[in-house]
């Protein structure tokens, strides 16, 4: 996990920029990811990067094992 002091410095945005370039170079049309409900800052980053939520998987019955109650599927064209 990255230190809290690095948050907001643009590292995540830069990494995703490189990922988008690589995906385009390899002929991919979209990136799909799942973000769990216990990471709202990550979801906010993905939304700023133009990912769109396409569905939510409820995993509340597995919360004691997984540590989260749902995962949102997000997609972005490259």
């Amino acid at each position: 996990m990255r230190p809290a002091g690095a948050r907001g410095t643009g590292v995540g945005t830069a990494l995703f920029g490189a990922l988008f370039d690589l995906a385009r170079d390899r002929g991919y049309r979209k990136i799909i990811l799942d973000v769990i409900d216990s990471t709202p800052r990550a979801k906010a980053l993905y939304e700023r990067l133009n990912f769109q939520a396409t569905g939510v998987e409820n995993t509340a019955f597995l919360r004691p094992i997984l540590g989260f109650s749902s995962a949102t599927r997000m997609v972005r064209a490259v």
Side-chain angles (χ1 to χ4, degrees), residues 56-68:
V56 177
E57 182 76 24
N58 184 342
T59 58
F61 62 98
L62 292 173
R63 182 173 180 76
I65 297 167
L66 300 176
F68 58 90

Side-chain angles (χ1 to χ4, degrees), residues 15-77:
L15 288 170
F16 268 98
L19 175 65
F20 299 148
D21 291 343
L22 179 64
R24 273 191 294 276
D25 291 348
R26 294 194 176 184
Y28 293 104
R29 296 180 309 190
K30 61 186 172 183
I31 304 256
I32 301 171
L33 58 81
D34 291 330
V35 59
I36 59 176
D37 62 353
S38 59
T39 57
R41 289 182 62 96
K43 186 175 181 187
L45 169 64
Y46 305 147
E47 289 170 340
R48 282 193 307 276
L49 294 172
N50 297 318
F51 279 87
Q52 301 295 316
T54 60
V56 177
E57 182 76 24
N58 184 342
T59 58
F61 62 98
L62 292 173
R63 182 173 180 76
I65 297 167
L66 300 176
F68 58 90
S69 297
S70 66
T72 302
R73 172 78 35 107
M74 301 186 85
V75 178
R76 182 192 189 275

